[in-house]
Amino acid sequence: MSTFSYEEPEPLTGELDLEDRQALRRVAGLSTELRDVTEVEYRALRLERVVLIGVWTEGDEAHAENSLRELALLAETAGSEILEGLMQRRSRPDPATYVGSGKALELRDVVISSGADTVICDGELAPSQLRRLEEIVQVKVIDRTALILDIFAQHASSREGKAQVELAQLEYLMPRLRGWGGNLSRQVGGRAAGGVGIGGRGPGETKIELDRRRIRTRMAKLRRQIGEMGKARDTKRSQRRTRAVPAVAIAGYTNAGKSSLLNRLTGAGVLVENALFATLDPTIRRAQTPNGRAITLADTVGFVRHLPHQLVEAFRSTLEEVTDADLILHVVDGSDADPEAQIAAVREVLRDVGGADVPELIVINKADLADEMAIARLRRQEPHSVVVSARTGAGMEELLQAIEDGLPRAERELHVLVPYDRGDLVARVHDLGEVLSQEHTAEGTALHARVPERMAAELEPYASAQV
């Protein structure tokens, strides 16, 4: 057998992230856990063999099934094996057990017959609903919010991202803490008991009270840290504003192809994986429009139906990249079964963070996989849209031109003749303004350009020689 060798090209950052993520996977059955499921909130989530359950309260059956299929993708992203998917038609979720006591018993039978160790509900459950449903099915029960938080915790890599996810997890955990009763309380006496000493000892601080106090302290510390990191992000954003570089934010549903689009436009090398919430940390790169105008492109965290409000609040400083943008590229998966629902979910989050007034350009991605009829339907519903394929590169020129047309124009249009010894000024016009025409003459560089007001003052001495 012949052998050969070759030199591997140096991998991009995103490829290294993907290799690292795929290097280790969970192995079922290698950890010892408490058998009492009522203590579940004090243990780390371990999702293995799961049964999905959803309550269909509005819309048609296809919409409800799509939501449950998305829950299945979320569970698989977290490392689960899907055994069953069940759905119940109700006017509203049962306030006690989410699915009703009778259906909860049927769910228990399905759990036993399938050998599942976890039930995942397609919605956010109240603490009392979680507790009551666990008592009936006798396995761990989590809701959609806890599942998404678990995925975010797996995928966060930067210091800011980890702090934001931890804060969201603690906010979710606080009302769901459970204690074991007064036998774990701390005894107090002497000065702590008002100086009465022996005979005046009360129950003291219980375990759950101690846990809540520690969580509140940790949350306060995380908020301070995120605030400090937000200041650095604000400083960088203000510097870009000072240089008058237009900002374009890439937003959209998770797994719609935002990172692939950023890589295609800028060569950023961001992690690309066919999974939900593959990238959480924002990436900002520089790019140019067809006319040579410098812009910044910011990739943001993906959205999803019923995105937990804890995450929206925790990631608010990151999502400010969207609210402060001059244009939002709203990326939609054209091959998805229900792209209209994706658009509605993303716009709902944008409204929550104050980005509803920012100009929006719909980017229908994955044109190489999408049905032509579905794309035509989307284009009728969203006239201000562009069809692209980040994988093949189709439609990129049209997208860049649409970005150019959607950005705010510079404030002053000038004809100037800049001497050759002021090449720095010509470079700044290209960097900060929009060059409409350029010609090299014997006296200098003749420019027809749109520039910010403050730069127009610098060009005034050369404006007398108009072309």
Side-chain angles (χ1 to χ4, degrees), residues 258-273:
K258 299 182 300 299
S259 297
S260 299
L261 188 65
L262 181 69
N263 288 344
R264 173 65 67 174
L265 292 174
T266 67
V270 178
L271 166 66
V272 173
E273 182 180 5

Side-chain angles (χ1 to χ4, degrees), residues 34 36 38-40 42 178-184 207-208 211:
L34 301 171
D36 185 359
T38 64
E39 300 170 4
V40 64
Y42 285 101
R178 304 181 196 173
W180 289 276
N183 62 319
L184 289 181
K207 176 69 166 60
I208 191 169
D211 287 343

Side-chain angles (χ1 to χ4, degrees), residues 52-183:
L52 309 178
I53 180 70
V55 173
W56 167 22
T57 59
E58 59 184 6
D60 55 16
E61 184 176 0
H63 178 79
E65 290 181 353
N66 286 335
S67 181
L68 203 65
R69 288 192 184 97
E70 182 178 90
L71 184 69
L73 291 175
L74 288 167
E76 289 173 352
T77 302
S80 305
E81 177 187 353
I82 311 300
L83 303 180
E84 294 281 354
L86 309 172
M87 189 168 58
Q88 183 190 17
R89 184 73 165 101
R90 293 178 62 96
S91 59
R92 63 185 180 89
D94 185 82
T97 58
Y98 181 65
V99 292
S101 56
K103 286 294 185 288
L105 292 173
E106 292 182 24
L107 178 60
R108 169 63 177 162
D109 294 337
V110 173
V111 167
I112 293 175
S113 62
S114 62
D117 58 24
T118 304
V119 171
I120 304 179
C121 300
D122 190 18
E124 182 169 348
L125 273 63
S128 59
Q129 289 175 312
L130 281 171
R131 186 179 301 112
R132 180 59 183 148
L133 192 56
E134 275 184 350
E135 291 173 354
I136 296 175
V137 299
Q138 286 298 298
V139 294
K140 178 173 53 185
V141 176
I142 67 169
D143 58 15
R144 186 186 184 95
T145 299
L147 177 60
I148 294 176
L149 290 173
D150 182 64
I151 297 171
F152 269 58
Q154 291 182 46
H155 291 182
S157 58
S158 70
R159 180 167 169 261
E160 184 177 13
K162 290 177 180 178
Q164 290 168 327
V165 173
E166 183 180 354
L167 176 60
Q169 287 178 312
L170 292 177
E171 288 178 341
Y172 174 82
L173 178 63
M174 268 292 288
R176 292 168 175 81
L177 284 177
R178 304 181 196 173
W180 289 276
N183 62 319

Side-chain angles (χ1 to χ4, degrees), residues 243-426:
R243 293 194 296 269
V245 178
V248 179
I250 304 176
Y253 215 74
T254 181
N255 206 32
K258 299 182 300 299
S259 297
S260 299
L261 188 65
L262 181 69
N263 288 344
R264 173 65 67 174
L265 292 174
T266 67
V270 178
L271 166 66
V272 173
E273 182 180 5
N274 185 22
L276 304 185
F277 302 114
T279 52
L280 300 182
D281 302 314
T283 302
I284 301 176
R285 291 293 184 269
R286 195 178 182 89
Q288 282 189 338
T289 63
N291 288 342
R293 189 178 184 185
I295 62 173
T296 60
L297 284 167
D299 181 21
T300 61
V301 63
F303 303 148
V304 72
R305 291 181 183 91
H306 313 301
L307 189 68
H309 66 89
Q310 296 95 340
L311 283 173
V312 175
E313 289 300 318
F315 278 78
R316 185 169 292 277
S317 62
T318 300
L319 294 174
E320 285 175 357
E321 295 291 349
V322 175
T323 61
D324 289 343
D326 297 298
L327 178 67
I328 295 176
L329 298 187
H330 182 165
V331 184
V332 181
D333 182 357
S335 64
D336 187 78
D338 191 6
E340 291 86 356
Q342 289 191 359
I343 294 174
V346 171
R347 285 175 173 165
E348 180 181 355
V349 178
L350 291 177
R351 283 193 298 271
D352 291 342
V353 300
D357 296 330
V358 181
E360 177 191 56
L361 173 64
I362 296 291
V363 181
I364 305 172
N365 192 24
K366 304 186 183 181
D368 53 315
L369 302 176
D371 179 69
E372 293 183 2
M373 296 293 291
I375 290 180
R377 185 182 71 249
L378 275 176
R379 298 211 70 173
R380 286 194 302 270
Q381 296 173 356
E382 302 291 341
H384 192 46
S385 60
V386 180
V387 179
V388 304
S389 171
R391 188 176 69 87
T392 65
M396 289 299 149
E397 292 183 4
E398 183 184 356
L399 172 59
L400 285 170
Q401 187 59 53
I403 293 174
E404 173 88 51
D405 297 339
L407 289 174
R409 294 293 180 184
E411 297 172 353
R412 290 279 299 278
E413 184 173 338
L414 297 174
H415 292 270
V416 294
L417 184 63
V418 183
Y420 286 121
D421 61 354
R422 292 303 311 273
D424 61 311
L425 200 55
V426 176

Side-chain angles (χ1 to χ4, degrees), residues 16 30 70 123 228 320 410 451:
L16 292 175
L30 294 186
E70 182 178 90
E228 291 298 322
E320 285 175 357
V451 295

Side-chain angles (χ1 to χ4, degrees), residues 160 163-164 167 222-230 314 317:
E160 184 177 13
Q164 290 168 327
L167 176 60
L222 287 171
R223 288 193 179 99
R224 287 195 300 270
Q225 291 177 354
I226 293 172
E228 291 298 322
M229 289 181 279
S317 62

